[in-house]
Amino acid sequence: MPTADSRFPKWAKWLIALIVLALLGVGGYLLWQRPAAAPPAGKRGGNPAGRAMPVVAVPAKSASINVYLNGLGTVTPLKTVTVRSRVDGQLMRVLFREGQVVKEGELLAEIDPRPFQAQLTQYEGQMARDQALLANARIDVERYRVLLTQDSIAKQLVDTQEAQVRQYEGVVKLDQGLVDNARLQLGYARVTAPIAGRLGLRQVDAGNIVRASDVNGLVVITQLQPITVVFTIPEDNLPPVMKKLQAGEKLSVDAYDRADKVKLAAGTLLTADNQIDPATGTVKLKAQFSNANYALFPSQFANVRMLLDVKEDATVVPNAAILRGTPGTFVYVVKADNTVTVRPVKLGPAQGELVAVDSGLEVGESVVVDGADKLREGARVELASRDPAAAPKGGDGARKKGGGFRKKGGNKAGE
């Protein structure tokens, strides 16, 4: 039986291989010469040369901007008092509730008054006896003086009787002091609030023996209205603050929560500390707040904003327009031919979403606030506006793919 080698000679195999290689080469050349198909609409990558970039631009405006000094503070009460018993005895009644707001002089507790009442009665009786002796001695001295004028007695007896009167006067005065002290101790049996404020947690219950030497006392009172916030500012900002204080100006101070979102209270600057902390380079300031709604609580953390000055007719732009790079702080300014140029600027104070530009920008010039990430000097731009329906929520100028910008019918920025 013939084999495959006998049916196809060796030269025929080489011929077939050459034909296949030739066909593959011709097919590859034709494919290489065929123009590439354009990608589907919306799938192109990159940006063709010379195409205008869509951006959002707004004009620089003239406005008044507040100059604030920010600091971190702690709520500090004006007064904090630990209420202690002034006398030793059994606590009979507790007349306050924990957390209660009390007035100055309000009755808080009562200590057993009977020992002090008995002592007062004893001293009052002793003083009555000594007053009777004093009265009798005064009568005797008047008699001796009459007899002395009649030359019936020696003068020494009169002098002795006068000395005895003075002695009894001293005894009565001593008795009066003992009576007053006993009445004072009896008054101390009624424990009253030394200041107005909010009560803390009760430290002792009725029925216990309390002493004047007890460290914890009965309860702690903290004054909440008014209340202060102690905060710090850098030492470089101290001179203008001291100038305002020395001139008698009232600087407005606002206290915000830890997230710096919710305004808790509004007050005024009270005073500044007398020295700078060399470890941190800061100085302490104290502001006072009426705290009418009890929003500020002792030892609470607070973000503080103090209004130092108001800058009138300042050139302001949104914070989103400010960029930082090799030129320093700069913005992209849109020129009349719809091209952009890099403009270095010097920044001033900021307020909210706006920042003042001290130099480098004029009122009315349009600056790019969105889309500046792909811009270069001289790049052509196409002005657009944000589409609220297409803009993603929760982003600062972010755009979703295929949306977020709406083209404008005009080249005037900010319309």
Side-chain angles (χ1 to χ4, degrees), residues 180-406:
D180 292 341
N181 182 68
R183 286 177 180 169
L184 184 62
Q185 301 302 310
L186 182 61
Y188 286 156
R190 294 170 53 87
V191 182
T192 58
I195 62 171
R198 187 177 186 272
L199 299 176
L201 301 180
R202 185 174 65 248
Q203 302 296 322
V204 64
D205 298 322
N208 286 281
I209 301 298
V210 295
R211 294 179 174 82
S213 59
D214 291 342
V215 177
N216 294 331
L218 304 179
V219 70
V220 177
I221 303 180
T222 301
Q223 180 178 340
L224 299 182
Q225 294 178 336
I227 203 167
T228 63
V229 174
V230 177
F231 62 100
T232 58
I233 62 171
E235 59 180 319
D236 295 338
N237 296 330
L238 183 60
V241 174
M242 294 304 299
K243 184 178 180 181
K244 298 278 187 179
L245 284 176
Q246 293 169 1
E249 298 185 29
K250 295 291 185 181
L251 298 179
S252 299
V253 180
D254 296 330
Y256 288 79
D257 64 350
R258 184 178 293 273
D260 205 13
K261 299 295 183 181
V262 180
K263 183 178 177 179
L264 302 178
T268 57
L269 183 65
L270 192 61
T271 186
D273 200 0
N274 60 354
Q275 58 183 347
I276 296 173
D277 186 353
T280 60
T282 59
V283 62
K284 292 181 180 179
L285 303 181
K286 178 182 284 188
Q288 182 170 308
F289 301 83
S290 61
N291 200 27
N293 57 354
Y294 296 102
L296 298 178
F297 208 76
S299 300
Q300 177 183 359
F301 174 85
N303 286 290
V304 178
R305 299 180 191 175
M306 182 173 63
L307 180 60
L308 182 63
D309 199 2
V310 178
K311 189 173 183 179
E312 304 288 348
D313 300 327
T315 303
V316 297
V317 295
N319 280 324
I322 306 301
L323 302 173
R324 290 169 175 80
T326 303
T329 305
F330 66 95
V331 295
Y332 279 110
V333 178
V334 181
K335 299 191 293 186
D337 59 354
N338 278 4
T339 61
V340 295
T341 181
V342 175
R343 183 78 60 79
V345 293
K346 181 180 179 181
L347 301 183
Q351 178 183 352
E353 296 297 326
L354 298 178
V355 60
V357 178
D358 290 341
S359 63
L361 192 66
E362 298 295 333
V363 175
E365 291 185 300
S366 296
V367 294
V368 177
V369 296
D370 200 352
D373 52 338
K374 297 181 180 180
L375 296 181
R376 296 292 183 271
E377 173 70 28
R380 294 176 55 241
V381 295
E382 181 180 8
L383 299 181
S385 64
R386 298 182 192 274
D387 188 353
K393 296 181 179 180
D396 295 330
R399 290 183 292 133
K400 291 182 178 178
K401 185 177 181 181
F405 278 137
R406 180 176 59 192

Side-chain angles (χ1 to χ4, degrees), residues 37 46 56 61 65 90 94 124 151 186 205 240 259 265 288 295 363 376:
V56 176
K61 299 180 180 180
I65 191 167
Q90 184 179 13
V94 175
E124 287 178 339
D151 200 18
L186 182 61
D205 298 322
Q288 182 170 308
V363 175
R376 296 292 183 271

Side-chain angles (χ1 to χ4, degrees), residues 21-104:
L21 291 175
L23 291 174
L24 291 176
V26 172
Y29 176 79
L30 292 177
L31 290 175
W32 180 71
Q33 291 293 333
R34 182 181 178 182
K43 299 297 183 179
R44 293 182 176 91
N47 193 33
R51 179 180 175 184
M53 297 291 296
V55 298
V56 176
V58 298
K61 299 180 180 180
S62 177
S64 298
I65 191 167
N66 295 330
V67 180
Y68 286 100
L69 292 181
N70 298 325
L72 304 179
T74 304
V75 180
T76 305
L78 286 173
K79 297 178 183 178
T80 299
V81 177
T82 300
V83 180
R84 294 185 174 90
S85 171
R86 301 289 296 273
V87 294
D88 299 346
Q90 184 179 13
L91 184 62
M92 303 300 292
R93 292 197 302 166
V94 175
L95 304 175
F96 63 86
R97 301 186 312 275
E98 295 174 326
Q100 177 184 351
V101 177
V102 296
K103 299 178 180 179
E104 183 178 353

Side-chain angles (χ1 to χ4, degrees), residues 107-124:
L107 183 62
L108 301 179
E110 287 185 350
I111 299 172
D112 188 2
R114 291 173 295 180
F116 311 108
Q117 183 65 55
Q119 192 174 35
L120 175 60
T121 302
Q122 176 184 351
Y123 289 147
E124 287 178 339

